[in-house]
Amino acid sequence: MKAEVLVDKYQTDLSNLLCPSCHEPYLHQGIVEVYNRSEDDEFVKATVIDGTDVLSHTIPNSKSNNPSSRRTGLVIHFDCEHCQDIDFQLRIAQHKGFTFMDWEYDDGSNSGSKG
């Protein structure tokens, strides 16, 4: 399934992230994964935050869930109040000064390519 990252104006200075499936704003954040590495470094510092549990370790980037093929990345797991049977992740990647975002679903499909 492919979906673009959509936002909706909530108030004059805030935006709402919309569900990639139903386009409603009722999303709940879950696990957060942070991947930090220098450009093209073979290893990445992976930090996974699940509630109050934090796990941090250094692993080969090729074995990580890092959305960036070359630098740092961030993955936020979401569930939607309306789409309870769909698990998806907002993936944020840095590449050459650009920030790329896409959704990846539990079946591994996504809405864009890795940066």
Side-chain angles (χ1 to χ4, degrees):
M1 180 187 302
K2 295 187 181 285
E4 113 183 71
V5 177
L6 300 173
V7 294
D8 185 32
K9 279 294 191 195
Y10 177 70
Q11 297 176 357
T12 57
D13 59 344
L14 297 174
S15 295
N16 260 344
L17 185 63
L18 301 180
C19 173
S21 181
C22 70
H23 298 164
E24 292 292 333
Y26 304 104
L27 297 175
H28 297 270
Q29 298 172 23
I31 296 170
V32 176
E33 303 171 37
V34 180
Y35 299 94
N36 194 356
R37 73 179 184 153
S38 299
E39 184 175 5
D40 295 331
D41 204 0
E42 179 182 350
F43 291 92
V44 62
K45 180 74 164 191
T47 303
V48 179
I49 305 161
D50 186 357
T52 59
D53 296 328
V54 178
L55 176 64
S56 189
H57 53 285
T58 301
I59 58 176
N61 190 63
S62 61
K63 303 217 184 281
S64 77
N65 192 31
N66 186 358
S68 177
S69 62
R70 301 199 61 198
R71 290 221 180 204
T72 60
L74 176 66
V75 178
I76 307 170
H77 296 250
F78 282 91
D79 62 71
C80 173
E81 291 181 13
H82 296 284
C83 305
Q84 296 178 4
D85 294 333
I86 302 174
D87 296 318
F88 44 88
Q89 307 164 3
L90 179 64
R91 299 167 55 82
I92 304 170
Q94 176 197 1
H95 181 68
K96 295 191 177 189
F98 291 95
T99 300
F100 297 100
M101 295 188 296
D102 66 3
W103 289 109
E104 183 169 275
Y105 295 81
D106 55 1
D107 65 0
S109 63
N110 65 23
S111 64
S113 59
K114 289 186 176 184

Coordinates of all heavy atoms in Angstrom, one line a residue, residues 54-111:
V54 N 14.4 1.4 27.3 CA 15.3 2.0 26.3 C 16.5 1.0 26.0 O 17.1 0.5 27.0 CB 15.9 3.3 26.7 CG1 16.9 3.9 25.7 CG2 14.8 4.4 27.0
L55 N 16.7 0.6 24.8 CA 17.8 -0.3 24.4 C 18.6 0.5 23.4 O 18.1 1.0 22.4 CB 17.2 -1.5 23.8 CG 18.2 -2.6 23.3 CD1 19.1 -3.1 24.4 CD2 17.5 -3.7 22.6
S56 N 19.9 0.5 23.6 CA 20.8 1.2 22.6 C 22.0 0.2 22.4 O 22.6 -0.3 23.3 CB 21.3 2.5 23.2 OG 22.0 3.2 22.3
H57 N 22.3 0.1 21.1 CA 23.4 -0.8 20.7 C 23.9 -0.4 19.4 O 23.3 0.3 18.6 CB 23.0 -2.3 20.8 CG 21.8 -2.6 20.0 ND1 20.5 -2.3 20.3 CD2 21.7 -3.2 18.8 CE1 19.7 -2.7 19.4 NE2 20.4 -3.2 18.5
T58 N 25.2 -0.8 19.0 CA 25.8 -0.6 17.7 C 25.7 -1.8 16.9 O 26.1 -2.9 17.4 CB 27.2 -0.1 17.9 OG1 27.3 1.1 18.7 CG2 27.9 0.2 16.6
I59 N 25.1 -1.7 15.7 CA 24.9 -2.8 14.8 C 25.3 -2.5 13.4 O 25.3 -1.3 13.1 CB 23.5 -3.4 14.9 CG1 22.5 -2.2 14.5 CG2 23.1 -3.9 16.2 CD1 21.0 -2.7 14.4
P60 N 25.5 -3.4 12.5 CA 25.7 -3.1 11.1 C 24.5 -2.4 10.5 O 23.3 -2.9 10.8 CB 26.0 -4.4 10.4 CG 26.4 -5.4 11.5 CD 25.7 -4.9 12.8
N61 N 24.6 -1.3 9.8 CA 23.5 -0.6 9.3 C 22.6 -1.6 8.4 O 21.4 -1.5 8.4 CB 23.9 0.6 8.5 CG 22.7 1.4 8.1 OD1 22.0 2.0 9.0 ND2 22.4 1.6 6.8
S62 N 23.3 -2.5 7.7 CA 22.6 -3.4 6.8 C 21.6 -4.3 7.5 O 20.7 -4.8 7.0 CB 23.6 -4.2 6.0 OG 24.4 -5.0 6.9
K63 N 21.8 -4.5 8.9 CA 20.9 -5.3 9.7 C 20.0 -4.5 10.5 O 19.2 -5.1 11.3 CB 21.8 -6.3 10.5 CG 22.7 -7.1 9.8 CD 22.9 -8.5 10.4 CE 23.9 -9.3 9.7 NZ 23.5 -9.9 8.5
S64 N 19.9 -3.2 10.3 CA 19.1 -2.4 11.0 C 17.8 -2.0 10.3 O 17.6 -2.4 9.1 CB 19.8 -1.1 11.4 OG 19.9 -0.2 10.3
N65 N 16.9 -1.3 10.9 CA 15.7 -0.8 10.3 C 15.8 0.7 9.9 O 14.8 1.4 9.8 CB 14.5 -1.0 11.3 CG 13.1 -0.8 10.7 OD1 12.9 -1.0 9.5 ND2 12.2 -0.3 11.5
N66 N 17.1 1.1 9.8 CA 17.3 2.5 9.5 C 16.7 2.9 8.1 O 17.1 2.2 7.1 CB 18.9 2.7 9.4 CG 19.2 4.2 9.2 OD1 18.4 5.1 9.1 ND2 20.5 4.4 9.2
P67 N 15.9 3.9 8.0 CA 15.3 4.2 6.8 C 16.2 5.0 5.8 O 16.0 5.1 4.6 CB 14.1 5.2 7.2 CG 14.5 5.7 8.5 CD 15.3 4.7 9.2
S68 N 17.4 5.4 6.3 CA 18.4 6.0 5.5 C 19.4 5.1 5.0 O 20.0 4.4 5.9 CB 19.0 7.2 6.2 OG 20.0 7.8 5.4
S69 N 19.7 5.0 3.8 CA 20.8 4.2 3.3 C 22.2 4.7 3.5 O 23.1 4.0 3.3 CB 20.5 3.9 1.8 OG 20.6 5.1 1.0
R70 N 22.2 6.0 3.9 CA 23.6 6.6 4.0 C 23.8 7.4 5.3 O 25.0 7.6 5.7 CB 23.7 7.6 2.8 CG 23.6 6.9 1.5 CD 24.2 7.7 0.3 NE 25.6 7.9 0.5 CZ 26.3 8.8 -0.1 NH1 25.7 9.5 -1.0 NH2 27.6 8.9 0.0
R71 N 22.8 7.8 6.0 CA 23.0 8.6 7.2 C 22.1 8.2 8.4 O 22.0 7.1 8.6 CB 22.8 10.1 6.9 CG 23.9 10.7 6.0 CD 24.3 12.0 6.4 NE 25.3 12.6 5.5 CZ 26.1 13.5 5.9 NH1 26.0 14.0 7.1 NH2 27.1 13.9 5.1
T72 N 21.6 9.2 9.0 CA 20.7 9.0 10.2 C 19.3 8.8 9.8 O 18.8 9.2 8.7 CB 20.8 10.1 11.2 OG1 20.4 11.3 10.5 CG2 22.2 10.3 11.7
G73 N 18.5 8.2 10.7 CA 17.1 7.9 10.4 C 16.3 7.8 11.7 O 16.9 7.6 12.8
L74 N 15.0 7.9 11.5 CA 14.1 7.9 12.7 C 12.9 7.1 12.2 O 12.4 7.3 11.1 CB 13.7 9.3 13.1 CG 12.7 9.5 14.2 CD1 13.2 9.0 15.5 CD2 12.3 11.0 14.3
V75 N 12.4 6.2 13.1 CA 11.2 5.4 12.8 C 10.2 5.6 14.0 O 10.6 5.3 15.1 CB 11.5 3.9 12.5 CG1 10.3 3.1 12.3 CG2 12.5 3.8 11.4
I76 N 9.0 6.0 13.7 CA 8.0 6.1 14.8 C 6.8 5.2 14.4 O 6.3 5.3 13.3 CB 7.5 7.5 14.9 CG1 8.6 8.5 15.1 CG2 6.5 7.6 16.1 CD1 8.2 10.0 15.0
H77 N 6.5 4.2 15.3 CA 5.4 3.3 15.1 C 4.1 4.0 15.5 O 4.1 4.6 16.5 CB 5.7 2.0 15.9 CG 6.9 1.3 15.5 ND1 6.8 0.0 14.8 CD2 8.2 1.5 15.6 CE1 8.0 -0.4 14.6 NE2 8.9 0.5 15.0
F78 N 3.1 3.8 14.7 CA 1.8 4.4 14.9 C 0.7 3.3 14.8 O 0.8 2.3 14.1 CB 1.5 5.4 13.9 CG 2.2 6.7 14.1 CD1 3.4 7.0 13.5 CD2 1.6 7.7 14.9 CE1 4.0 8.2 13.7 CE2 2.2 9.0 15.1 CZ 3.4 9.2 14.5
D79 N -0.4 3.6 15.6 CA -1.6 2.9 15.3 C -2.7 4.0 15.2 O -2.6 5.1 15.8 CB -1.9 1.8 16.3 CG -2.1 2.3 17.7 OD1 -3.1 2.9 18.0 OD2 -1.2 2.0 18.5
C80 N -3.8 3.7 14.5 CA -4.9 4.6 14.3 C -6.1 4.1 15.0 O -6.4 2.9 15.0 CB -5.1 4.7 12.8 SG -6.6 5.7 12.4
E81 N -6.9 5.0 15.6 CA -8.1 4.6 16.2 C -9.1 4.0 15.3 O -10.0 3.2 15.7 CB -8.8 5.8 16.9 CG -8.0 6.3 18.1 CD -8.6 7.5 18.8 OE1 -9.8 7.8 18.5 OE2 -7.9 8.1 19.7
H82 N -9.1 4.4 14.0 CA -10.0 3.9 13.0 C -9.5 2.7 12.3 O -10.3 1.9 11.7 CB -10.3 5.0 12.0 CG -11.0 6.2 12.6 ND1 -12.4 6.1 12.9 CD2 -10.6 7.4 12.9 CE1 -12.7 7.3 13.5 NE2 -11.6 8.1 13.5
C83 N -8.2 2.5 12.2 CA -7.6 1.4 11.4 C -6.9 0.5 12.3 O -5.7 0.3 12.2 CB -6.7 2.0 10.3 SG -7.4 3.2 9.2
Q84 N -7.5 -0.1 13.2 CA -6.9 -0.9 14.3 C -6.1 -2.1 13.8 O -5.3 -2.6 14.5 CB -7.9 -1.2 15.4 CG -8.5 0.0 16.0 CD -9.5 -0.3 17.1 OE1 -9.8 -1.4 17.3 NE2 -10.1 0.8 17.6
D85 N -6.4 -2.6 12.7 CA -5.8 -3.8 12.2 C -4.5 -3.5 11.3 O -3.9 -4.4 10.8 CB -6.7 -4.7 11.4 CG -7.8 -5.3 12.3 OD1 -7.6 -5.4 13.5 OD2 -8.9 -5.6 11.8
I86 N -4.2 -2.3 11.2 CA -3.0 -1.9 10.4 C -1.9 -1.3 11.3 O -2.2 -0.4 12.0 CB -3.5 -0.8 9.3 CG1 -4.6 -1.3 8.4 CG2 -2.2 -0.4 8.5 CD1 -5.1 -0.3 7.5
D87 N -0.8 -1.9 11.2 CA 0.4 -1.3 11.9 C 1.2 -0.6 10.8 O 1.5 -1.1 9.8 CB 1.2 -2.4 12.5 CG 0.5 -3.2 13.6 OD1 -0.2 -2.5 14.4 OD2 0.5 -4.4 13.7
F88 N 1.7 0.6 11.2 CA 2.5 1.3 10.2 C 3.5 2.2 11.0 O 3.4 2.5 12.1 CB 1.7 2.2 9.2 CG 0.5 2.9 9.9 CD1 0.7 4.2 10.4 CD2 -0.7 2.4 10.0 CE1 -0.3 4.9 11.0 CE2 -1.8 3.1 10.5 CZ -1.6 4.3 11.0
Q89 N 4.5 2.6 10.2 CA 5.7 3.3 10.8 C 5.9 4.6 9.9 O 5.9 4.5 8.7 CB 6.9 2.5 10.7 CG 6.8 1.2 11.4 CD 8.0 0.3 11.0 OE1 8.9 0.6 10.3 NE2 7.9 -1.0 11.4
L90 N 6.1 5.7 10.5 CA 6.6 6.9 9.9 C 8.1 6.8 9.8 O 8.7 6.7 10.9 CB 6.1 8.2 10.6 CG 6.5 9.5 9.9 CD1 5.9 9.6 8.5 CD2 6.1 10.7 10.8
R91 N 8.7 6.8 8.7 CA 10.1 6.7 8.5 C 10.7 8.0 8.0 O 10.2 8.5 7.0 CB 10.4 5.5 7.5 CG 9.9 4.2 8.1 CD 9.8 3.1 7.0 NE 11.1 2.9 6.4 CZ 12.1 2.1 6.9 NH1 11.9 1.5 8.0 NH2 13.2 2.0 6.3
I92 N 11.7 8.5 8.7 CA 12.3 9.8 8.4 C 13.8 9.6 8.1 O 14.4 9.0 9.0 CB 12.1 10.8 9.5 CG1 10.6 11.0 9.8 CG2 12.7 12.2 9.2 CD1 10.2 11.8 11.1
A93 N 14.2 10.0 7.0 CA 15.6 9.8 6.6 C 16.3 11.0 6.1 O 15.7 11.9 5.5 CB 15.7 8.7 5.5
Q94 N 17.6 11.2 6.5 CA 18.4 12.3 6.0 C 19.3 11.9 4.9 O 19.8 10.8 4.9 CB 19.2 12.9 7.2 CG 20.1 14.0 6.7 CD 21.3 14.2 7.7 OE1 21.4 13.6 8.7 NE2 22.1 15.2 7.3
H95 N 19.3 12.7 3.9 CA 20.3 12.4 2.8 C 20.6 13.7 2.0 O 19.7 14.4 1.5 CB 19.6 11.4 1.8 CG 20.5 11.0 0.6 ND1 21.7 10.3 0.8 CD2 20.4 11.3 -0.7 CE1 22.3 10.1 -0.4 NE2 21.5 10.8 -1.3
K96 N 21.9 14.0 2.1 CA 22.4 15.2 1.4 C 21.6 16.5 1.7 O 21.3 17.3 0.8 CB 22.4 15.0 -0.2 CG 23.4 13.9 -0.5 CD 23.6 13.8 -2.0 CE 24.7 12.8 -2.3 NZ 25.1 12.8 -3.7
G97 N 21.4 16.7 3.0 CA 20.7 17.9 3.4 C 19.2 17.9 3.3 O 18.5 18.8 3.6
F98 N 18.6 16.8 2.7 CA 17.2 16.6 2.5 C 16.7 15.7 3.6 O 17.3 14.9 4.1 CB 16.9 16.0 1.2 CG 17.1 16.9 0.0 CD1 18.4 16.8 -0.7 CD2 16.2 17.8 -0.4 CE1 18.6 17.6 -1.8 CE2 16.5 18.7 -1.5 CZ 17.7 18.6 -2.2
T99 N 15.4 15.9 4.0 CA 14.7 15.1 4.9 C 13.6 14.4 4.2 O 12.7 15.1 3.7 CB 14.2 15.9 6.1 OG1 15.3 16.5 6.8 CG2 13.4 15.0 7.1
F100 N 13.6 13.1 4.1 CA 12.6 12.3 3.4 C 11.7 11.6 4.4 O 12.2 11.1 5.4 CB 13.2 11.3 2.5 CG 14.1 11.9 1.4 CD1 15.4 11.9 1.5 CD2 13.5 12.4 0.2 CE1 16.2 12.4 0.5 CE2 14.2 12.9 -0.8 CZ 15.6 13.0 -0.7
M101 N 10.4 11.6 4.1 CA 9.4 10.9 5.0 C 8.6 10.0 4.1 O 8.2 10.3 3.0 CB 8.5 11.9 5.7 CG 9.3 12.8 6.7 SD 8.1 13.8 7.7 CE 7.4 14.8 6.4
D102 N 8.3 8.8 4.7 CA 7.3 7.9 4.1 C 6.7 7.0 5.1 O 7.2 7.0 6.3 CB 7.9 7.1 2.9 CG 9.0 6.1 3.3 OD1 9.2 5.9 4.6 OD2 9.6 5.4 2.5
W103 N 5.6 6.3 4.8 CA 5.0 5.4 5.6 C 5.4 4.0 5.2 O 5.5 3.7 4.0 CB 3.5 5.5 5.5 CG 2.9 6.7 6.1 CD1 2.3 7.7 5.4 CD2 2.7 7.0 7.5 NE1 1.8 8.7 6.3 CE2 2.0 8.2 7.6 CE3 3.1 6.3 8.7 CZ2 1.7 8.8 8.8 CZ3 2.7 6.9 9.9 CH2 2.1 8.1 10.0
E104 N 5.7 3.1 6.2 CA 5.9 1.7 5.8 C 4.9 0.9 6.6 O 4.7 1.2 7.8 CB 7.3 1.2 6.2 CG 7.5 -0.2 5.8 CD 9.0 -0.6 5.9 OE1 9.7 -0.4 4.9 OE2 9.4 -1.2 6.9
Y105 N 4.3 0.0 6.0 CA 3.2 -0.9 6.6 C 3.8 -2.2 7.1 O 4.9 -2.6 6.7 CB 2.1 -1.1 5.6 CG 1.4 0.2 5.2 CD1 2.0 1.0 4.2 CD2 0.2 0.6 5.8 CE1 1.3 2.2 3.9 CE2 -0.4 1.8 5.5 CZ 0.2 2.6 4.5 OH -0.4 3.8 4.2
D106 N 3.0 -2.9 7.9 CA 3.5 -4.1 8.5 C 3.8 -5.2 7.4 O 4.5 -6.1 7.7 CB 2.5 -4.7 9.5 CG 1.1 -4.9 9.0 OD1 0.9 -4.6 7.8 OD2 0.2 -5.3 9.7
D107 N 3.3 -5.0 6.2 CA 3.6 -6.0 5.2 C 4.9 -5.6 4.4 O 5.3 -6.2 3.5 CB 2.5 -6.1 4.2 CG 2.2 -4.8 3.4 OD1 3.0 -3.8 3.6 OD2 1.3 -4.8 2.5
G108 N 5.6 -4.5 4.9 CA 6.9 -4.1 4.3 C 6.7 -3.1 3.1 O 7.8 -2.6 2.6
S109 N 5.5 -2.8 2.7 CA 5.4 -1.9 1.6 C 5.5 -0.5 2.1 O 5.4 -0.2 3.3 CB 4.0 -2.1 0.9 OG 3.0 -1.8 1.8
N110 N 5.9 0.5 1.2 CA 6.0 1.8 1.7 C 5.5 2.8 0.6 O 5.1 2.5 -0.4 CB 7.5 2.1 2.1 CG 8.4 2.1 1.0 OD1 8.1 2.2 -0.2 ND2 9.7 1.8 1.3
S111 N 5.6 4.1 1.0 CA 5.1 5.1 0.2 C 6.2 5.9 -0.5 O 6.0 7.0 -1.0 CB 4.2 6.1 1.0 OG 5.0 6.7 2.0

